[in-house]
Amino acid sequence: MTIKVRGYAAQQAKATLGPYSFERREPSDHDIVIDIGYCGICHTDIHQVGDEWGGSKFPMVPGHEITGTVLQVGPKVTRYKAGDRVGVGCFVNSCRKCGPCSKNLEQYCTEGMVTTYNGTEKDGTPTQGGYSNKIVVDENYVLSIPDNLPLDKAAPLLCAGITLYSPLVHWKAGPGKKVAIIGLGGIGHMGVKLAHALGAEVTVLSHSLKKQEDGKKLGADHFYATSDPATFEKLKGYFDLMINTVSAELDWNKYLDLLALDGAMVVVGIPEKEIPIGSYPLVAGRRSLAGSLIGGIKETQEMLNFCSKHNIASEIEVIPIQKVNEAYKRILASDVRYRFVIDIKSLEQN
Ligand code: NAP
Ligand code: ZN
Ligand code: ZN
């Protein structure tokens, strides 16, 4: 039997979200049915609802920062049982055979990962995300949430957490490394916490000094406003690693000049428009400009275990689903401290 689900959807590009009922597939032998407790709001949800990257499918139920408890498991499921605390991130399947998949880097699957929403399942049905009360996912794409992490504060780890953890580890942020996080929003604030826990010296580059006090509390050693031209003079050639989380266009050339010899700027923010790059800021210091996309299932579990050990979770504002459209506006105005998380039980009020 298919699973009846209630959620919130956008019916067309840029539309406000409203109540929407739909069905999910009948669980197969390897599937888990999850009773969703919380879902974080990622800026990607706004890009996708706005069809800013093209190819958005509607109706769209966004949400890829999902936590909840297992309701039922298929007969061949071995990793989870009813009642377990679990999470689902940005993808729910991949080919499982290609080079990246065989290296536990399913996010770079050459056939394309099956995204949690705005994607297409292997059987051709559209995927729908976590702004809903239940989801059916293959056990291999489900994460275990450690007991000491509350489900609401852990939800943003499933995208924001792994999106910053993966490049920080890949580019070896740690003791003796000077790391800058550009943009202190949902994913950026996780970058500050994680880079600090990894032992790096952390600097926040934010467009104003409004979040300075918060930044320091999150673990930043330094905080600068990028609206002040003096910031770019003072920090020239300073950083080993910069992670750019900004969702809007920035002059990347200006930022590349802040890298030390052999430094790398890793882009994780995905603005709507492309950005021109000059070759000089790169060749001048053997610098690299790179990108990074979320993380694989194995690394996401490692990140959750790291967060458990260091007692790290997201700074959140929990909202009922009825306030989701208001939350989108506040995110666009950089008025979020630092992630909105939807309490999915609020769907019962509809
Ligand atoms: P968010 O909470 O809105 O944070 C973005 C931050 O960027 C803001 O808090 C703000 O920080 C800064 N910012 C926004 N507009 C700006 C502007 N016009 N000029 C300068 N700075 C600006 O968004 P998020 O959820 O963290 O996501 C950020 C980006 O990452 C989005 O594009 C999202 O799609 C992308 N993303 C990528 C991945 C990946 O795997 N690569 C995963 C998740 C998200 P300050 O106030 O501190 O300046
Ligand atoms: Zn996301
Ligand atoms: Zn693959």
Side-chain angles (χ1 to χ4, degrees):
M1 268 216 314
T2 56
I3 307 270
K4 290 195 182 348
V5 183
R6 281 179 300 130
Y8 258 51
Q11 296 294 336
Q12 60 196 47
K14 302 194 194 319
T16 54
L17 280 74
Y20 176 64
S21 294
F22 61 105
E23 290 183 9
R24 297 203 187 263
R25 68 168 177 268
E26 176 171 1
S28 73
D29 286 357
H30 293 281
D31 277 340
I32 291 177
V33 183
I34 300 167
D35 183 19
I36 301 179
Y38 297 95
C39 186
I41 301 180
C42 178
H43 203 115
T44 296
D45 303 347
I46 302 177
H47 292 307
Q48 301 271 37
V49 167
D51 196 16
E52 291 174 24
W53 302 336
S56 285
K57 301 178 189 65
F58 297 94
M60 182 194 295
V61 178
H64 60 206
E65 294 186 335
I66 300 167
T67 56
T69 47
V70 176
L71 209 53
Q72 100 191 43
V73 299
K76 293 199 178 143
V77 168
T78 57
R79 297 182 178 193
Y80 299 101
K81 58 179 188 324
D84 283 353
R85 292 153 38 90
V86 291
V88 177
C90 299
F91 58 93
V92 288
N93 213 340
S94 63
C95 86
R96 310 179 192 204
K97 301 186 295 277
C98 70
C101 280
S102 55
K103 290 188 194 129
N104 299 306
L105 296 166
E106 305 89 349
Q107 74 275 32
Y108 304 118
C109 176
T110 56
E111 288 185 18
M113 59 177 166
V114 176
T115 52
T116 302
Y117 71 87
N118 198 29
T120 308
E121 295 275 11
K122 300 278 178 208
D123 66 5
T125 53
T127 56
Q128 299 290 12
Y131 299 6
S132 65
N133 62 346
K134 281 178 200 147
I135 190 164
V136 180
V137 184
D138 183 299
E139 65 167 329
N140 292 300
Y141 295 81
V142 174
L143 288 308
S144 172
I145 307 292
D147 285 341
N148 66 327
L149 300 179
L151 288 182
D152 53 358
K153 291 190 170 68
L157 300 179
L158 278 308
C159 173
I162 185 60
T163 296
L164 272 289
Y165 181 83
S166 186
L168 285 168
V169 170
H170 185 78
W171 275 273
K172 301 187 171 50
K177 288 283 174 78
K178 297 185 173 102
V179 174
I181 303 291
I182 312 172
L184 193 63
I187 67 173
H189 92 288
M190 287 313 309
V192 174
K193 289 192 177 203
L194 292 165
H196 176 70
L198 287 163
E201 181 198 294
V202 188
T203 301
V204 174
L205 301 176
S206 185
H207 60 285
S208 74
L209 291 179
K210 274 191 222 151
K211 302 175 186 168
Q212 184 167 24
E213 208 175 301
D214 288 354
K216 296 272 173 83
K217 278 193 208 139
L218 294 168
D221 300 285
H222 310 290
F223 198 105
Y224 291 92
T226 52
S227 52
D228 181 356
T231 295
F232 291 89
E233 284 307 314
K234 179 154 187 216
L235 297 175
K236 216 165 242 178
Y238 188 75
F239 297 109
D240 300 302
L241 174 64
M242 304 177 80
I243 303 201
N244 179 6
T245 78
V246 174
S247 50
E249 291 82 33
L250 290 181
D251 180 355
W252 291 353
N253 296 309
K254 233 166 86 176
Y255 288 80
L256 287 170
D257 268 340
L258 306 188
L259 288 172
L261 175 67
D262 289 328
M265 179 158 98
V266 181
V267 175
V268 293
I270 313 173
E272 194 173 353
K273 296 200 191 98
E274 288 179 6
I275 287 152
I277 294 287
S279 46
Y280 197 73
L282 288 173
V283 300
R286 199 163 60 182
R287 296 161 171 146
S288 313
L289 174 63
S292 183
L293 182 68
I294 45 174
I297 294 295
K298 183 166 177 271
E299 193 175 39
T300 304
Q301 191 63 58
E302 270 169 35
M303 176 275 308
L304 288 164
N305 299 346
F306 178 87
C307 288
S308 167
K309 187 171 158 207
H310 294 270
N311 229 335
I312 292 175
S314 183
E315 300 301 310
I316 59 168
E317 181 174 337
V318 177
I319 57 159
I321 201 157
Q322 293 77 7
K323 291 213 167 148
V324 67
N325 297 303
E326 200 180 302
Y328 276 24
K329 284 193 196 130
R330 285 183 53 196
I331 291 169
L332 289 170
S334 280
D335 176 23
V336 50
R337 301 285 190 277
Y338 279 87
R339 201 54 140 186
F340 288 112
V341 171
I342 303 169
D343 178 356
I344 294 297
K345 292 288 164 277
S346 60
L347 269 170
E348 286 162 18
Q349 290 155 25
N350 274 331

